[in-house]
Amino acid sequence: MPESLPPRPDCARIADRLPRLLRRNLVLRGVRAFFDARGYTEVETPYAVPTPGEEVHLKVFATERAGADGSRERLWLHTSPEFAMKRIVAATGLPVYQLARVWRNAEGSRLHAHEFTMLEWYRPGATLGSLMDETEALLRAVLPPVVRAGGGDEISIAAPFERLSVAEAFARYAGVDILAHEGDAPALAEAAGCDLRRDETWEDLFFRLMMARIEPYIGRACPTFLTHWPASQAALARRDPADPRVALRFELYAGGIELANAFEELTDPAEQRARFEADRARRLALYPGESGLDWPMDEAFLSALGNLPPCAGIALGFDRLVMLAAGTNRIADVQWLGTRS
């Protein structure tokens, strides 16, 4: 009998990850069962699009579509299916969800991959509060009552999730009244007791403090909804009628990992266009000389926005959800074949 050959390296890597990959399939089936039972319609939208998104700092992948007549059209792989899904909600009034592949260039770490799966859903009539309720119910439906994060924390999924505003978080963990200092980087640095770095903007310092003083401490015993972000940090969200300094946005954290980002959706086309124009100008100013940063405004999305009913929507990193279910802190452990597998 000939000796059996050792497995090829890629086969070995997949075999080593197989228990976690099978857990991925269980979570996938649970997600679909959850939304189907709640009357959602699963949709599919194009991945190669004329407008990949308007986030200032996200880098994109460019591609080209060739027509049978020899024509060429530049397209991009989307960073989120958000614009397309809102067009569907505007046209139908239906609650919808999608498990979409999305692409973000110049990323890569234990928590980031160039290509990954985003779970997004939009529900007409939902508020930020009811969306938090639904997100909490989803995690309870697809995760065990207690999960062990990759860093070792035991996180209770059965316990009520914490709900903490950004202002409360900065006061508790950084000793700063963040809203009183919005837009004033030197004042924020002084209040936080830190040095302002050269050319550091208020937004830069805001996120530096977030990463150093807040994110490591939230979502440890149970998941945390971080709510009511400064209005400048929520380009697609409605302002809070009770306090226009903040927007109706939340992020969900568990074990120090950001799982989801959600809005009570802006439905004013004129305000949305103005926000997009400001973001586009800022992106081009921040990255001068970098190619592939300019694309047409998504006029189809803006045209549909006036018909979008009051609703809330959320983007949840499906791979990170599986990481929690599988007890790992590396996104590559839960992807069948990652970009570097």
Side-chain angles (χ1 to χ4, degrees), residues 40-41 43 85 88-89 92 94-98 120-122:
Y40 279 79
T41 297
V43 298
M85 291 183 73
I88 292 172
V89 176
T92 66
L94 293 171
V96 299
Y97 78 98
Q98 181 173 191
E120 292 206 20
W121 71 95
Y122 296 85

Side-chain angles (χ1 to χ4, degrees), residues 8 23 43 46 62 77 80 104 118 124 126 151-152 158 199 223 249 260 333:
R8 292 183 294 113
R23 177 64 65 90
V43 298
L77 299 177
S80 163
R104 297 181 179 184
M118 188 79 83
D199 298 326
R249 171 189 179 186
D333 289 342

